[in-house]
């Protein structure tokens, strides 16, 4: 949806991040929609507001002033949001002159004077600049390195240190192969490896002195980026906001059990699953029981993770199903224990035949508004008779809608039919301008006697409280001709090649090009 994201989805995104346990968001590298800033105020986030700009410095006269103008504008727009903790008035990952950075700092003081001005942050490795800023961007360990320097050393950091982006472990910035980037469609092992890689990166943030104050993960949602041909698959949710394994990990690591005890089995009990069973929990310990008590182990939940070595054997489960004729007993039960008492429980069974489809609407507690632009994600899951998601299902799902709603994209962008990935297929349902009921139906593309049965879901949009400020009108032939006569300024091929060469040169300075 890009810039067409409605206010409700801006709020839902912020809510998803709050549910994970995150408390600070660095917004980059463009002004966020005001509704997202409003959501951060409402939900209790800290926010770092970044000046637009990324890996490029234009040496032409007056360009730096345009950046400063952006900084003034974004501070004036967002300075009354209580969620704002810091301004980032410098350019991200860019070699900028010292006088530019010092003037950028002065602008934050002018636009939001002391003693109420939120802190300003800059790259700690920018020579001659970092010492003047309130907070410097660095990495876990930079505080220790600074501690070991003698007093008065110009490299000694005197401010708090914050990591602006953690989690990225790419092999190189051309290939982008990476442990923390795993498409949800790749399945169980890649997503578990992603979660454990992010777990390690998160833990490094805590092994620091008091001078190191935190960090932000890059990036919580999968998305299609223009910077690289591959989508960014490093999110805790996929692009449709379906949770990945990392979501359960962060909940266990960042949420205290006093708020809500959680236990989650990161294992699907398939014929291809790992022998080791990983359980995420914020409890003191986890008890894992299999086959109705045939096996039982208890492990401490070290930093949110309990690992049970060699707990799963497909052939042992096959013996229960095939020889003992007792497939109902093939299940895991995980219990979270706090102070010796079981406070939460979950269970997992291997999915059997695909027999049913199941629909749910990901409303996040905010109903669909009938304004013609609001939408929600509706997800179709393939399940067995007992409702367990068939993760290895490969059906294509055909969606149809009746009533006051429509499918965004539909067949035009291959949104419908939708291939099942890791047990589910999502679709975006947009409201009309009239409040009312919306019936969503899902069925497999090639139905047959043994195909999963179709599913239906009825949702209802609510009346839009705000007056519509735009009404569709037909354009006259003259208006269309006038619009067709407007052309953007044309850049010659030679000028374009020169600009791209400069961008590539500056990105190569960060190791981001081939």
């Amino acid at each position: 949806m890009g810039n067409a994201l409605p206010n409700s989805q801006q709020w839902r995104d912020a809510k998803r991040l709050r549910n994970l346990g995150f408390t600070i968001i660095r917004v980059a590298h463009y002004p966020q929609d005001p509704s997202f800033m409003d959501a951060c105020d409402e939900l209790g986030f800290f926010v770092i507001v970044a000046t637009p700009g990324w890996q490029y410095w234009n040496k032409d006269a007056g360009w730096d002033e345009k950046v400063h103008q952006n900084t003034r504008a974004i501070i004036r727009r967002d300075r009354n949001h209580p969620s704002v903790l810091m301004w980032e008035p410098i350019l991200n990952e860019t070699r900028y002159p010292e006088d530019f950075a010092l003037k950028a700092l002065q602008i934050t003081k002018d636009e939001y004077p002391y003693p109420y001005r939120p802190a300003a942050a800059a790259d700690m490795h920018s020579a001659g600049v970092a010492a003047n800023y309130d907070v410097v961007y660095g990495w876990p360990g930079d505080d220790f390195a600074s501690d070991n320097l003698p007093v008065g050393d110009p490299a000694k950091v005197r401010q708090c240190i914050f990591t602006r982006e953690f989690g990225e472990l790419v092999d190189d910035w051309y290939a982008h192969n990476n442990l923390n980037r795993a498409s949800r469609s790749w399945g169980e092992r890649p997503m578990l490896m992603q979660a454990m890689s992010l777990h390690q990166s998160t833990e490094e943030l805590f092994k620091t002195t008091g001078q190191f104050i935190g960090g932000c993960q890059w990036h919580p949602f999968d998305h299609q980026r223009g910077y690289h041909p591959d989508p960014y698959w490093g999110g805790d949710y996929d692009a449709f906001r379906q949770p990945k394994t990392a979501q359960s990990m962060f909940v266990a690591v960042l949420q205290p059990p006093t708020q809500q005890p959680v236990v989650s089995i990161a294992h699907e009990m398939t014929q291809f699953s790992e022998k080791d069973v990983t359980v995420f929990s914020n409890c003191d310990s986890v008890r894992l029981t299999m086959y109705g008590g045939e096996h039982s182990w208890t492990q401490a939940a070290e930093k949110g993770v309990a690992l049970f070595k060699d707990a799963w054997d497909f052939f042992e489960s096959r013996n229960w199903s095939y020889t003992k004729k007792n497939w109902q007993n093939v299940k895991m039960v995980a219990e979270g224990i706090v102070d010796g008492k079981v406070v939460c429980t979950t269970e997992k069974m291997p999915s059997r035949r695909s027999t049913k489809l199941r629909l749910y609407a990901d409303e996040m507690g905010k109903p669909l508004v009938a304004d013609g632009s609001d939408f929600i994600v509706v997800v179709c899951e393939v399940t067995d008779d007992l409702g367990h998601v068939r993760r290895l299902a490969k059906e294509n799902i055909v969606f149809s809608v009746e009533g006051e709603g429509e499918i965004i994209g539909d067949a035009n962008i291959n949104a419908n039919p939708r291939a099942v990935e890791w047990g589910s297929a999502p679709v975006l349902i947009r409201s009309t301008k009239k409040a009312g009921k919306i019936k969503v139906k899902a069925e497999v593309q090639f139905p047959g006697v043994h195909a999963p049965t179709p599913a239906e879901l009825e949702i209802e949009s609510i009346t839009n409280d705000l007056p519509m400020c735009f009404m569709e009108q037909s354009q006259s032939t003259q208006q269309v001709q006038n619009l067709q006569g407007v052309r953007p300024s044309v850049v010659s091929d030679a000028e374009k090649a020169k600009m791209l060469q400069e961008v590539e040169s500056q990105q190569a300075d960060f190791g981001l090009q081939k």
Side-chain angles (χ1 to χ4, degrees):
M1 294 302 294
N3 291 338
L5 203 69
N7 292 355
S8 63
Q9 289 294 347
Q10 299 281 2
W11 184 91
R12 290 187 185 103
D13 274 355
K15 179 63 174 173
R16 288 182 180 99
L17 299 182
R18 202 69 179 90
N19 288 349
L20 288 186
F22 293 142
T23 55
I24 185 166
I25 297 175
R26 173 178 178 249
V27 296
H29 300 286
Y30 52 85
Q32 299 301 295
D33 190 284
S35 63
F36 185 80
M37 298 299 294
D38 291 340
C40 290
D41 292 343
E42 176 187 340
L43 297 171
F45 275 108
F46 291 123
V47 176
I48 302 173
V49 177
T51 291
W54 182 72
Q55 288 177 359
Y56 178 67
W57 177 263
N58 191 321
K59 300 179 180 66
D60 293 347
W63 190 81
D64 55 342
E65 285 303 318
K66 292 180 180 178
V67 178
H68 290 324
Q69 182 180 350
N70 283 343
T71 300
R72 288 188 186 277
I74 201 168
I75 292 177
R76 290 178 183 182
R77 195 198 74 163
D78 291 341
R79 61 190 172 189
N80 289 322
H81 284 284
S83 57
V84 174
L85 176 69
M86 286 190 281
W87 307 113
E88 185 184 315
I90 46 86
L91 298 171
N92 181 62
E93 297 177 356
T94 303
R95 306 298 187 200
Y96 41 76
E98 180 177 346
D99 60 342
F100 164 82
L102 294 178
K103 185 171 182 180
L105 175 62
Q106 185 60 47
I107 287 172
T108 67
K109 296 178 180 179
D110 294 342
E111 297 295 336
Y112 208 125
Y114 278 119
Y116 307 107
R117 175 178 68 85
D123 191 333
M124 70 178 296
H125 302 296
S126 300
V129 172
N132 297 280
Y133 273 71
D134 305 297
V135 175
V136 290
Y137 287 142
W139 298 93
D142 286 335
D143 47 347
F144 290 118
S146 180
D147 290 343
N148 295 329
L149 293 172
V151 176
D153 190 309
K156 188 177 182 67
V157 178
R158 298 171 180 82
Q159 310 97 309
C160 291
I161 301 172
F162 188 90
T163 295
R164 56 183 159 190
E165 301 166 16
F166 75 81
E168 288 295 306
L169 299 170
V170 293
D171 53 356
D172 65 67
W173 291 99
Y174 175 77
H176 280 215
N177 298 312
N178 195 348
L179 284 174
N180 80 292
R181 299 187 188 183
S183 169
R184 187 174 176 275
S185 65
W186 298 348
E188 183 173 0
R189 177 169 168 77
M191 284 197 291
L192 178 59
M193 291 187 69
Q194 176 200 30
M196 295 312 298
S197 176
L198 289 171
H199 180 271
Q200 180 180 351
S201 298
T202 305
E203 282 304 305
E204 290 173 355
L205 302 180
F206 294 96
K207 299 174 181 177
T208 60
T209 68
Q211 194 172 352
F212 188 91
I213 59 172
C216 288
Q217 176 206 354
W218 185 270
H219 181 290
F221 302 113
D222 290 358
H223 59 281
Q224 182 62 61
R225 57 203 317 211
Y227 160 59
H228 194 274
D230 288 341
Y232 181 82
W233 285 312
D236 313 316
Y237 297 85
D238 72 2
F240 286 85
R241 282 29 178 186
Q242 295 179 104
K244 295 156 72 173
T245 306
Q247 184 254 12
S248 299
M249 181 277 294
F250 274 119
V251 170
V253 169
L254 300 178
Q255 297 275 27
T258 51
Q259 180 173 331
Q260 181 180 359
V262 295
V263 61
S264 175
I265 301 172
H267 197 281
E268 293 299 326
M269 302 178 72
T270 76
Q271 62 271 37
F272 306 112
S273 296
E274 294 287 311
K275 289 182 175 294
D276 298 342
V277 175
T278 300
V279 179
F280 297 119
S281 179
N282 57 3
C283 300
D284 301 336
S285 59
V286 175
R287 181 165 56 232
L288 183 68
T289 304
M290 295 184 64
Y291 308 115
E294 182 80 7
H295 303 307
S296 183
W297 310 270
T298 301
Q299 293 277 4
E302 295 286 346
K303 300 179 176 65
V305 181
L307 180 63
F308 298 87
K309 301 288 290 185
D310 296 324
W312 168 249
D313 186 306
F314 170 72
F315 289 99
E316 184 177 11
S317 73
R318 180 182 181 274
N319 182 54
W320 280 88
S321 295
Y322 192 81
T323 305
K324 297 183 179 181
K325 311 296 182 185
N326 189 5
W327 61 266
Q328 296 92 336
N329 219 28
V330 181
K331 63 180 177 181
M332 299 178 182
V333 178
E335 299 170 299
I337 300 171
V338 175
D339 295 331
K341 297 180 180 179
V342 175
V343 294
C344 53
T345 304
T346 189
E347 73 172 46
K348 185 68 67 78
M349 289 185 72
S351 59
R352 294 169 65 78
R353 282 178 50 178
S354 302
T355 58
K356 300 178 181 180
L357 300 183
R358 178 173 63 205
L359 288 167
Y360 71 88
D362 189 18
E363 291 184 320
M364 297 287 295
K366 190 172 283 290
L368 185 66
V369 176
D371 61 5
S373 66
D374 197 13
F375 73 86
I376 57 172
V377 181
V378 172
V379 178
C380 177
E381 295 178 320
V382 182
T383 77
D384 64 10
D385 288 331
L386 298 178
H388 302 119
V389 177
R390 179 72 170 172
R391 294 298 181 188
L392 303 183
K394 290 302 295 178
E395 282 82 6
N396 291 329
I397 304 300
V398 179
F399 294 93
S400 58
V401 175
E402 297 177 7
E404 300 303 328
E406 61 182 358
I407 296 173
I408 295 178
D410 211 346
N412 299 328
I413 57 171
N414 295 326
N416 188 32
R418 178 82 184 180
V420 171
E421 295 179 343
W422 198 234
S424 63
V427 69
L428 305 182
I429 303 297
R430 180 167 51 203
S431 66
T432 66
K433 295 175 184 176
K434 180 181 177 182
K437 294 181 179 180
I438 304 169
K439 181 182 290 186
V440 182
K441 183 177 180 180
E443 57 186 335
V444 297
Q445 187 172 16
F446 304 106
V449 175
H450 298 294
T453 58
E456 290 188 359
L457 175 70
E458 188 172 273
I459 55 180
E460 190 165 354
S461 61
I462 63 173
T463 302
N464 180 21
D465 292 333
L466 299 175
M468 300 296 290
C469 59
F470 171 79
M471 298 300 292
E472 292 183 9
Q473 297 178 355
S474 61
Q475 291 182 320
S476 67
T477 304
Q478 184 62 46
Q479 286 176 314
V480 174
Q481 290 174 344
N482 291 340
L483 288 172
Q484 290 174 342
V486 178
R487 292 289 183 270
S489 58
V490 178
V491 179
S492 70
D493 290 343
E495 291 175 310
K496 186 183 297 183
K498 183 179 179 181
M499 288 190 292
L500 291 176
Q501 187 176 12
E502 176 62 24
V503 172
E504 183 170 333
S505 174
Q506 293 193 29
Q507 289 191 338
D509 188 33
F510 285 87
L512 299 188
Q513 288 292 338
K514 183 177 178 181

